[in-house]
Amino acid sequence: MANPILVPQVGQDLTEGKVVGLFVKPGDTVKKGDVVAEVESEKASFEVEAFDSGVVLDVLYKVGDLATVLEPLMFLGQPGESLAKAELEPSHSIAEVMPAIAVTEARSDEVHRSSPLARRLAARAGLDLSRLAGTGTKGAVVKRDIDAALAARGNAPVAPVAPAPVAAVTADASRLAIKTLQNGTGDPVVFLHGFGAELAAWRPFVPHVGVGNPMLALDLPAHGALVDQPIADFDMLVDSVAAALTAAGLTRLHLVGHSLGAAVATALAASGSLNVRSLSLIAPAGLGPKINGDFIAGFLAATSEPALKSWMTILVRDPANLPGAMVRATLSGRDGTNVAANQARLAAGIFAGSTQLFSVREALARFGGPVRIIVGREDPIIPPEHSDLLPGHVALHRLPQVGHLPQLEAAALAGRLVAETVRAAG
């Protein structure tokens, strides 16, 4: 039975992406979670993962091609299976494996389709998009059309301009650490990790969130692929993430955040710079002054696996629930990098001993969309009582016998609650 791997949808306005890397060929065997390709939009690159195991039956594009989002990039099947046979099965017709194409067209009530970058460049150059013939997917005006129009009138192509005023603190667009964790349709769900973690920490949790939306995650500055990007305080952190999401075309989205990532998500939702459809906040920081300063200091100072494990087991109520691979991955991420120094710099800007130097309580009150907070009753890092006295529109779930990692310790329940929040946005 052939299954398509689709070109990821990363923003409602993006209609195509350039295939910049193909890491498999027909006949190769892949496992669920393998990165099989890399697709580049006008502002960022995204890894494409296999969400099933199997044999690559066919690859429909080559490196350098422009691929239409939500159309098959390649097909997986069983050894010896023919793609032609699979296509004879009604359940595998293109019309059925890509219902999102018709949905996307039905949603678009714009007379003149264009990419976000094309709109910005056109506005800067004083061009009327309605007078331009688009060469993008379904006639969308894209950057090359703007450049062609300017060349025709004797002007040089317009250089892309990053969003202001936060562009100064964002990573270069080619380094944006955004990865697709699940293909899907509709508004993307973007996951923001906590202090000291990285986007890969969300991979085990995503299967528990039973929605069909695209699911993506990004690394916060000073973490993961952005360990060399120093950040000095909370406001700079929020601005940097806002710039990264905007540059990637992820301006209408659902946000799921853990701990520090939950605080960032809340600030983003209230800022008005993004169209945040819903908020799912897991063990959120920023709702009160207290933090376990001893944990922060010990976590940052640990240089061996036994030492790091001793501190990380504090995160969970039952130490047996902490995977050894999680400890090893955290430790290996520190090798040969500036992660310790840059995370210590960030910690100094957002924590003072056992005190959080930022608050998102007012931001939470300003956001009027669906909000759900999930905390462990036995969280040793952020006191669960910080979630008292919330605005009336916020749903609160306090999970018994759970610590600071509900997405790990109670993954099925936390996943269902996140799914309910996403669906509540309509």
Side-chain angles (χ1 to χ4, degrees):
M1 178 179 290
N3 293 311
I5 295 178
L6 305 183
V7 179
Q9 180 190 37
V10 286
Q12 291 289 351
D13 293 328
L14 298 181
T15 58
E16 63 185 8
K18 183 179 181 180
V19 180
V20 296
L22 287 172
F23 311 126
V24 296
K25 62 185 183 300
D28 286 351
T29 299
V30 300
K31 301 187 300 296
K32 182 178 180 179
D34 285 351
V35 176
V36 296
E38 184 177 1
V39 177
E40 182 180 73
S41 73
E42 291 180 334
K43 276 294 185 178
S45 296
F46 302 89
E47 291 183 347
V48 181
E49 292 186 5
F51 299 106
D52 289 295
S53 298
V55 173
V56 179
L57 301 181
D58 196 10
V59 179
L60 307 184
Y61 294 92
K62 61 181 183 299
V63 173
D65 285 349
L66 288 176
T68 302
V69 301
L70 298 175
E71 289 188 354
L73 178 67
M74 61 184 68
F75 283 90
L76 298 183
Q78 299 303 312
E81 183 178 2
S82 166
L83 182 59
K85 285 183 181 179
E87 287 181 322
L88 293 177
E89 298 287 339
S91 62
H92 293 97
S93 67
I94 297 299
E96 293 189 14
V97 299
M98 296 190 303
I101 298 299
V103 172
T104 302
E105 290 184 284
R107 281 182 181 167
S108 178
D109 36 273
E110 295 180 287
V111 176
H112 305 292
R113 298 174 61 88
S114 56
S115 72
L117 178 60
R119 290 196 292 274
R120 291 198 298 273
L121 298 182
R124 183 183 176 206
L127 290 174
D128 184 352
L129 285 172
S130 67
R131 297 180 177 274
L132 300 182
T135 61
T137 304
K138 299 180 179 70
V141 176
V142 293
K143 180 179 182 294
R144 60 177 175 268
D145 302 316
I146 303 297
D147 290 343
L150 291 175
R153 77 179 192 187
N155 291 0
V158 179
V161 179
V166 296
V169 297
T170 187
D172 177 72
S174 64
R175 297 181 60 237
L176 294 180
I178 302 175
K179 293 187 178 180
T180 300
L181 305 183
Q182 173 184 295
N183 283 319
T185 62
D187 298 321
V189 180
V190 177
F191 294 81
L192 304 178
H193 62 74
F195 181 82
E198 59 182 51
L199 66 82
W202 290 110
R203 294 184 187 277
F205 179 62
V206 163
H208 295 281
V209 183
V211 296
N213 302 58
M215 296 194 196
L216 304 99
L218 59 79
D219 280 324
L220 297 179
H223 295 75
L226 297 183
V227 293
D228 292 324
Q229 184 181 344
I231 291 291
D233 56 38
F234 183 72
D235 288 341
M236 184 179 288
L237 178 63
V238 174
D239 287 346
S240 181
V241 175
L245 292 172
T246 301
L250 295 167
T251 55
R252 178 184 165 107
L253 70 170
H254 303 268
L255 289 175
V256 180
H258 172 246
S259 196
L260 178 60
V264 172
T266 305
L268 289 171
S271 70
S273 61
L274 303 172
N275 182 1
V276 177
R277 306 291 294 151
S278 73
L279 275 177
S280 297
L281 308 176
I282 303 174
L287 297 183
K290 296 180 181 179
I291 187 79
N292 187 332
D294 290 340
F295 168 79
I296 300 296
F299 173 82
L300 289 172
T303 57
S304 68
E305 184 174 336
L308 186 60
K309 182 178 180 180
S310 295
W311 286 106
M312 290 185 66
T313 52
I314 295 175
L315 294 168
V316 293
R317 179 184 179 274
D318 182 355
N321 288 333
L322 185 74
M326 186 176 176
V327 178
R328 291 188 292 274
T330 302
L331 186 64
S332 65
R334 299 179 176 184
D335 292 343
T337 70
N338 295 322
V339 62
N342 285 341
Q343 287 184 4
R345 178 182 179 184
L346 174 59
I350 60 178
F351 308 127
S354 295
T355 303
Q356 300 182 56
L357 300 179
F358 59 94
S359 173
V360 294
R361 271 194 175 271
E362 291 185 6
L364 184 63
R366 289 198 305 272
F367 178 68
V371 187
R372 197 176 301 263
I373 292 179
I374 305 167
V375 299
R377 288 185 180 272
E378 301 182 43
D379 188 336
I381 308 301
I382 298 174
E385 57 265 27
H386 280 184
S387 299
D388 291 341
L389 303 176
L390 294 172
H393 69 291
V394 177
L396 172 63
H397 299 266
R398 287 178 168 164
L399 309 187
Q401 300 183 4
V402 170
H404 189 61
L405 300 175
Q407 71 273 32
L408 175 67
E409 300 172 83
L413 176 56
R416 178 170 62 81
L417 295 173
V418 169
E420 290 176 359
T421 312
V422 170
R423 294 190 185 105

